[in-house]
Amino acid sequence: MWCDDRMREAILLVGGQGTRLRPLTLSTPKPMLPVAGVPLTVHQIERARDAGVERIVLGTSYRAEVFAEHLGDGRDLGVEIAYAVEVDPLGTGGAIRNAAAHLTCGPDDPVMVLNGDVLSGVDYAGLIEGHVRAGAVVTLHLVRVEDPSAYGLVPTDEQGRVLAFREKPTTAEEIITDQINAGCYVFRRSAIDAIPTGRVVSVERDTFPALLADGAHMRGVVDDSYWLDLGTPWDFIRGSADLVRGIAPWPGHAPAVSLVLDDAVVDEGADVGGGTTVGRGCRVAAGAVVQGSVLLDGAVIGPAAVVTDSVIGAGAMVEAGAVVAGCVIGDGARVGTGNELRAGARIWPDVVLPPTSVRFSTDA
Ligand code: GDD
Ligand code: MG
């Protein structure tokens, strides 16, 4: 159990470049992208706060200033926020070590560490309590996934002791388990202080295997509550829609088919659903269909346009009758009438696809 006279602390890793989410992350760091209208970082901070965390150190690097501008000292969220900025990114382990300079707890106290791009329903307080009770050096939240190849594999024995780490396996033989690192750890503070300073360190490839080789007690806790890494556009869209529809945990939010934010205007002849978020100041015209999508602030969807499973950037326009399915449209871009974009297309900010008069048919 956390000692009551100590500050309960966590580190949030938010310094990655979010390359897979380009072009959305050209201007906004991945954790600050709005998921159901609220930056993912805010969702995470609120869940940590509700689990008893009082102070959070943000390990920032890429576009570090954006976090402080939005979150300040954390007062509005009911926590204390400190910032540990890496001039050059130090990797996940280096970032955790760098953030430790802002911790106030003692060497034996537990510190929760979270990847900044994960939406999860895991019981943080339960993880921390279990960690302290077991006297572990590190506890890892694990989840089972169908295709573990894009993650860190973490097999455990019957007692939950970690047996190995295999980060991003490249061959079928390396896929020795479907249990993966869910990007949420509880560290004994002294194990963080032992990470080397001032150089790039990967917690997954360097720190965890080294601790294991030293015989440190490392626990894995497999949990089957909601979990999603929002690192790709398609998972970002899914996570947002899951929050809106009440599939992902969001205390105080009533499940809905769509979420329309302030000053947005959706014509009553438009069909908006599937967990779509309509951002502040957006406009959706009559006859438009918008399903399972994220419209960032100020986006405009023209009459009879069809937008499915897509992100439409801030101030971007999808003009009358255009089709956008499974795509990312950058901020300020314009998809002119008659264009049809499908399956994975990414349009960079401010690009204009002119209208075309060539007609297409959606009939088979
Ligand atoms: N401060 C800082 N500095 N943060 C960083 C750095 C860095 O140099 N590099 C990455 N991060 C942050 C990212 O912003 C993100 O929130 C988190 O660390 C994880 O980085 P990703 O780039 O999203 O890693 P991943 O998704 O490929 O893999 C990680 O997460 C998986 C679960 O989602 C690993 O931890 C895997 O083992 C794990 O399975
Ligand atoms: Mg990730």
Side-chain angles (χ1 to χ4, degrees):
M1 215 78 53
W2 285 357
C3 307
D4 278 340
D5 56 342
R6 290 207 192 278
M7 192 66 99
R8 296 151 189 219
E9 294 177 308
I11 294 170
L12 196 48
L13 298 176
V14 291
Q17 299 223 343
T19 321
R20 288 170 296 165
L21 267 169
R22 282 183 192 156
L24 302 172
T25 45
L26 293 174
S27 53
T28 307
K30 169 166 68 171
M32 287 304 290
L33 288 171
V35 187
V38 179
L40 180 55
T41 299
V42 172
H43 286 287
Q44 287 189 309
I45 290 173
E46 287 179 341
R47 286 205 71 243
R49 176 202 62 204
D50 293 348
V53 171
E54 295 163 301
R55 179 180 164 81
I56 300 181
V57 184
L58 260 61
T60 64
S61 180
Y62 177 69
R63 297 210 165 258
E65 70 289 350
V66 177
F67 294 91
E69 276 163 22
H70 281 76
L71 306 171
D73 62 5
R75 200 171 307 177
D76 295 348
L77 290 168
V79 290
E80 206 177 296
I81 295 180
Y83 298 90
V85 183
E86 301 148 48
V87 179
D88 292 314
L90 290 169
T92 46
I96 295 170
R97 178 67 187 90
N98 191 54
H102 297 264
L103 295 173
T104 65
C105 63
D108 293 330
D109 288 334
V111 176
M112 187 163 75
V113 177
L114 300 174
N115 281 357
D117 60 348
V118 169
L119 199 53
S120 117
V122 73
D123 172 11
Y124 291 148
L127 269 184
I128 295 159
E129 278 171 32
H131 169 88
V132 174
R133 210 177 315 118
V137 174
V138 180
T139 295
L140 293 99
H141 168 212
L142 308 179
V143 290
R144 292 199 170 92
V145 294
E146 238 166 69
D147 176 10
S149 59
Y151 304 100
L153 274 54
V154 187
T156 49
D157 69 12
E158 310 79 60
Q159 279 81 47
R161 281 195 176 244
V162 172
L163 298 172
F165 289 93
R166 197 136 312 159
E167 186 66 16
K168 315 274 161 63
T170 50
T171 62
E173 298 77 61
E174 285 184 307
I175 302 188
I176 46 174
T177 176
D178 62 352
Q179 289 178 188
I180 62 139
N181 166 17
C184 166
Y185 324 118
V186 186
F187 268 84
R188 188 186 292 166
R189 159 85 195 254
S190 56
I192 295 180
D193 293 336
I195 298 173
T197 56
R199 66 172 169 87
V200 175
V201 180
S202 160
V203 76
E204 301 89 350
R205 296 177 195 273
D206 304 323
T207 311
F208 289 152
L211 281 167
L212 203 58
D214 282 352
H217 180 186
M218 305 186 75
R219 298 166 68 236
V221 176
V222 182
D223 180 86
D224 59 7
S225 54
Y226 185 92
W227 184 89
L228 193 64
D229 174 323
L230 307 193
T232 68
W234 330 115
D235 287 334
F236 170 76
I237 293 166
R238 197 175 120 206
S240 183
D242 284 351
L243 280 168
V244 172
R245 290 181 299 172
I247 295 167
W250 191 7
H253 169 75
V257 291
S258 64
L259 179 64
V260 180
L261 301 179
D262 293 348
D263 303 322
V265 180
V266 177
D267 190 282
E268 58 185 30
D271 174 10
V272 178
T276 293
T277 295
V278 180
R280 290 166 194 82
C282 287
R283 278 180 292 138
V284 182
V289 175
V290 184
Q291 292 291 325
S293 294
V294 177
L295 309 186
L296 297 178
D297 292 354
V300 177
I301 311 300
V306 177
V307 175
T308 52
D309 306 321
S310 296
V311 189
I312 310 298
M317 289 178 76
V318 179
E319 294 183 344
V323 175
V324 175
C327 300
V328 182
I329 308 298
D331 294 348
R334 193 174 133 200
V335 180
T337 295
N339 285 286
E340 180 177 340
L341 300 175
R342 290 192 188 272
R346 298 179 192 222
I347 304 300
W348 245 238
D350 300 319
V351 166
V352 176
L353 300 179
T356 164
S357 56
V358 178
R359 295 201 166 256
F360 64 90
S361 165
T362 50
D363 296 337

